Amino acid sequence: MQIDPQDYAIQGLDQIITPALAIYPEMIAANIEATLELAGGDPARWRPHIKTAKLGYTMRRLVERGVASFKCSTSLELLASCESGARDVVVAYAMVGANARRIREIAAAFPDVRVSILVENEAQAAAWEGSGVGLFIDVNPGMDRTGIDQTRTGDIVALAKRIGPALRGLHYYDGQIHAPDPDERRAEAFRGYDMLMRVVEAVRSAGCAVEEVITSGTPAMPSGLAYPEFTGAGFVHRVSPGTVVYNDFTSLGQLAEIDYRPAALVVARVVSHPTPDRFTCDAGHKSVSADAGVPTCQVLGRPDLVPLKPSEEHLPVQVAAGAERPAIGDFVYLIPRHVCPTVNNFDEALLIEGGRIVGTERVSARGHESPLALQARHAPVSA
């Protein structure tokens, strides 16, 4: 889609300390609607990963639109989603030790929220017995990050039988699928889903119920929603992209056929002119995440300005021959390459409506809880 920089211009920036995270509620609403349209208008098909949303503000917008099932990776994200009105949250991370005990504690504090966890072996499953926490078997689709390899059907069935009534379903994060061509992505995703359906049938044949199957991060999401065997299969199928609530220049390129818009930008100031064809702004990798590589971002409306390798607080930008270089003190609006960890870099976000700053919102699920969270809650009361 065409992005009009005027839709993102902010009045009154002279009084703002930069770098600043700017959130555009109208764009968030449009992205939610675009995702729901792709899901046939059914909010129950979407279990967004709130590693991206991070703000209680954004989570509440999702809940208001009927999206009540979330996915997360940390105890703080679980806590923030429960506080924001989620009704069903899957912690899509292998929690062990004190981390697992903290998840049990949060689940007990929110009895009206259905909390579930991923497991990949019998020892993990046994650790959740009697907790009231639901279990999803983590199936490895070839990403080789966590889970039981999808070819080990017998092991998956054995674990399902060991879990028993606490089994909710299967989790299948095919994050390794990100080919640039949409048809190639769909073909690869469909091959994986064919294998997944064989696993589902094997689990069912063993007498175990499969209530829900979770698939698909952002690049594979259209494929997951289009796979015909997930419809009318006797289980709830949900896709789990998180990036699409804000988007970044990676997702906008991968899903160019969908009417998505960038809804989270970093506003930076030009602070230096180190060479005649370069300037530096105050948005290094402590502001705009560099985990996805260089360039870490794009300058909104200025393809003639190319961000270079950042350092901690510095982002040098190359100016194309003949292009106008911003003056020291000018503002640039940056679209992150990877928005999820970029949002996590900020304590607060500016809310922008109609070109005006209408307030700030805390980035509720930024970082992690205190490593002493359990001890703090269970410390003896002094006399």
Side-chain angles (χ1 to χ4, degrees):
M1 67 167 293
Q2 292 294 321
I3 300 172
D4 186 350
Q6 290 304 312
D7 292 340
Y8 294 88
I10 305 171
Q11 301 175 34
L13 284 179
D14 287 343
Q15 301 303 313
I16 297 300
I17 295 173
T18 55
L21 177 66
I23 299 286
Y24 296 79
E26 293 177 0
M27 307 301 181
I28 292 173
N31 291 335
I32 292 173
E33 292 306 316
T35 306
L36 294 180
E37 182 179 351
L38 200 66
D42 184 2
R45 293 294 307 275
W46 186 17
R47 184 185 282 279
H49 199 316
I50 58 96
K51 65 175 183 176
T52 309
K54 283 289 183 183
L55 281 72
Y57 174 88
T58 305
M59 297 177 214
R60 292 191 296 274
R61 300 292 80 78
L62 286 161
V63 170
E64 289 168 1
R65 192 55 188 83
V67 181
S69 300
F70 292 169
K71 188 165 106 170
C72 68
S73 292
T74 70
S75 61
L76 182 56
E77 290 174 353
L78 172 61
L79 183 61
S81 58
C82 290
E83 293 173 340
S84 299
R87 309 310 303 162
D88 184 327
V89 188
V90 173
V91 182
Y93 201 83
M95 294 289 183
V96 297
N99 297 44
R101 292 194 293 276
R102 178 60 180 143
I103 298 302
R104 291 178 71 141
E105 186 175 76
I106 295 172
F110 292 89
D112 294 334
V113 180
R114 198 173 186 194
V115 176
S116 301
I117 194 77
L118 303 188
V119 296
E120 62 181 50
N121 59 56
E122 291 194 6
Q124 286 178 341
W128 294 97
E129 286 182 357
S131 67
V133 172
L135 304 183
F136 280 81
I137 296 176
D138 192 12
V139 179
N140 174 11
M143 194 173 185
D144 296 338
R145 189 172 66 178
T146 62
I148 307 175
D149 191 282
Q150 62 186 345
T151 62
R152 291 166 50 196
T153 305
D155 292 337
I156 295 170
V157 169
L159 182 56
K161 293 169 72 173
R162 171 66 180 81
I163 292 170
L167 178 67
R168 286 199 59 191
L170 305 179
H171 175 268
Y172 186 90
Y173 178 62
D174 42 351
Q176 80 282 4
I177 297 176
H178 45 69
D181 180 68
D183 292 335
E184 184 179 341
R185 282 203 307 272
R186 176 173 290 200
E188 184 179 356
F190 276 23
R191 286 193 294 272
Y193 301 150
D194 287 344
M195 296 181 68
L196 175 60
M197 288 301 295
R198 289 194 286 272
V199 173
V200 170
E201 290 310 311
V203 171
R204 285 171 158 173
S205 296
C208 302
V210 177
E211 173 191 341
E212 179 178 345
V213 173
I214 305 169
T215 69
S216 314
T218 297
M221 177 260 294
S223 303
L225 291 171
Y227 183 69
E229 300 303 318
F230 287 152
T231 304
F235 55 75
V236 175
H237 168 253
R238 291 188 172 106
V239 292
S240 57
T243 304
V244 295
V245 293
Y246 298 140
N247 285 294
D248 48 32
F249 84 73
T250 303
S251 64
L252 292 170
Q254 291 171 331
L255 305 177
E257 71 280 9
I258 305 172
D259 191 22
Y260 282 135
R261 312 174 189 197
L265 305 183
V266 174
V267 181
R269 271 187 177 91
V270 176
V271 297
S272 178
H273 285 164
T275 67
D277 61 350
R278 185 175 295 190
F279 68 89
T280 297
C281 60
D282 56 356
H285 63 72
K286 286 187 174 178
S287 302
V288 181
S289 176
D291 73 308
V294 176
T296 61
C297 54
Q298 292 179 341
V299 181
L300 179 69
R302 294 294 304 270
D304 52 347
L305 305 178
V306 180
L308 304 174
K309 182 180 179 181
S311 52
E312 296 186 21
E313 303 293 353
H314 301 78
L315 177 65
V317 180
Q318 186 70 38
V319 181
E324 181 180 357
R325 181 173 64 171
I328 291 176
D330 282 356
F331 296 96
V332 289
Y333 296 73
L334 307 176
I335 306 175
R337 183 172 188 167
H338 192 186
V339 72
C340 313
T342 296
V343 172
N344 193 61
N345 282 335
F346 291 87
D347 293 310
E348 291 187 338
L350 300 171
L351 292 185
I352 312 301
E353 294 183 356
R356 297 180 181 275
I357 300 167
V358 297
T360 61
E361 285 286 335
R362 187 169 63 89
V363 183
S364 322
R366 179 180 188 242
H368 296 81
E369 290 193 288
S370 165
L372 299 178
L374 278 172
Q375 289 90 326
R377 284 165 176 81
H378 300 291
V381 178
S382 356

